[in-house]
Amino acid sequence: MSDKNLHAGHRQRMLKKYLEHGIECFEEHEVLEMLLFLVFSRCNTNNISHALIERFGSVNGVLSADRNELMEVDNIGETASTYLSFIGDFFRWLPEREEKRIQLNTPQKIIEYCSPIFAHSTKEMTYILILDSRQNMISRTRLNLGGPDSTTVRAKDIIRNAVIANSSNVVLVHNHTTGSPSPSVADINATRDMYNALRTAGITLVDHIIIGFGGEGYSMRSSEILRDIWS
């Protein structure tokens, strides 16, 4: 039997398994394999799914991975990496459509909302939450991979998102992939710099939340370590 026929038969068996037993019967690499059927028409996606999970740890890790890092895996080219990035963004985007107008008027509410976003992340990420005047969420945007002290987190990007949303209230959120959510000196300095930069544009940095490895959260504003900006 040719490889083509063998792979075709495997795909039919996988589809039949899903139709008869649902997604709960699949192992994690098989769930990813099913997704990869949509982008690879002929090749063996079983090997590719194993390689991806070995590299990124889980399906969530794969779908949260940077596109350039995905392309470092054998057989993952530009089209496949773009598709996987899109799927990851789609599953992050979809809940946002239903979560708009959720009220985030206390640090604890923000922490409870944000903790699941970072639950499976192996990289530091920075998000901006844009709130209305009553601190209901309007939108959530990932700014970059890396903490807020990174040079790629720019005040003008935050300002642009706030202006588009017609809002002047934002919350900065990032994660620590290991250990405590307690801020580093770089986190503290970056927060002060960002607060001052946004203030010149009429944007209020409501808080800077840090999510630790275990989902524990830290509010920079509530901690009072920056009394010079949040009196």
Side-chain angles (χ1 to χ4, degrees):
M1 182 182 292
S2 69
D3 286 345
K4 181 178 178 181
N5 290 335
L6 177 64
H7 297 325
H10 174 69
R11 292 185 182 209
Q12 289 303 316
R13 288 191 294 274
M14 291 283 286
L15 292 170
K16 184 173 184 291
K17 182 178 177 180
Y18 166 70
L19 290 173
E20 291 179 351
H21 304 289
I23 196 170
E24 293 80 9
C25 73
F26 285 139
E27 295 184 30
E28 190 165 27
H29 74 275
E30 292 177 313
V31 173
L32 183 57
E33 192 178 346
M34 289 283 286
L35 285 176
L36 293 174
F37 286 169
L38 301 176
V39 69
F40 292 105
S41 61
R42 293 189 177 91
C43 68
N44 182 354
T45 58
N46 180 277
N47 292 342
I48 298 172
S49 66
H50 276 292
L52 284 165
I53 289 177
E54 181 178 352
R55 171 68 184 273
F56 299 106
S58 66
V59 171
N60 281 313
V62 173
L63 298 181
S64 298
D66 180 73
R67 183 170 167 272
N68 291 326
E69 290 184 326
L70 288 168
M71 286 194 288
E72 293 174 1
V73 177
D74 288 346
N75 298 310
I76 298 295
E78 186 172 346
T79 298
S81 64
T82 300
Y83 171 80
L84 289 169
S85 293
F86 177 81
I87 289 293
D89 285 341
F90 171 77
F91 285 120
R92 287 183 286 272
W93 170 84
L94 188 60
E96 292 177 33
R97 306 294 292 181
E98 300 176 356
E99 292 169 355
K100 283 186 176 182
R101 304 303 175 185
I102 184 172
Q103 193 168 50
L104 300 175
N105 60 345
T106 68
Q108 188 56 38
K109 286 183 180 180
I110 299 172
I111 291 167
E112 289 174 358
Y113 169 77
C114 289
S115 289
I117 298 170
F118 300 100
H120 303 285
S121 176
T122 59
K123 299 284 187 180
E124 280 203 5
M125 299 187 293
T126 301
Y127 280 83
I128 190 72
L129 308 181
I130 299 178
L131 311 179
D132 65 17
S133 59
R134 296 184 178 181
Q135 296 193 319
N136 297 313
M137 195 179 78
I138 297 174
S139 65
R140 180 186 84 208
T141 302
R142 192 178 81 181
L143 296 178
N144 78 318
L145 289 170
D149 55 310
S150 169
T151 56
T152 57
V153 176
R154 301 174 298 183
K156 68 179 183 179
D157 294 329
I158 298 174
I159 293 167
R160 182 179 66 250
N161 279 281
V163 169
I164 291 172
N166 193 29
S167 175
S168 60
N169 299 304
V170 300
V171 176
L172 194 64
V173 187
H174 87 281
N175 65 317
H176 288 172
T177 56
T178 58
S180 166
S182 297
S184 65
V185 173
D187 290 333
I188 294 169
N189 291 336
T191 303
R192 180 182 288 107
D193 292 344
M194 187 63 72
Y195 180 94
N196 290 327
L198 294 177
R199 185 176 61 176
T200 63
I203 306 296
T204 299
L205 182 60
V206 176
D207 203 343
H208 179 183
I209 301 292
I210 303 173
I211 305 296
F213 179 69
E216 182 184 1
Y218 186 100
S219 164
M220 299 275 277
R221 183 169 188 163
S222 297
S223 69
E224 299 186 346
I225 59 175
L226 284 170
R227 293 182 182 178
D228 54 316
I229 64 173
W230 287 310
S231 55

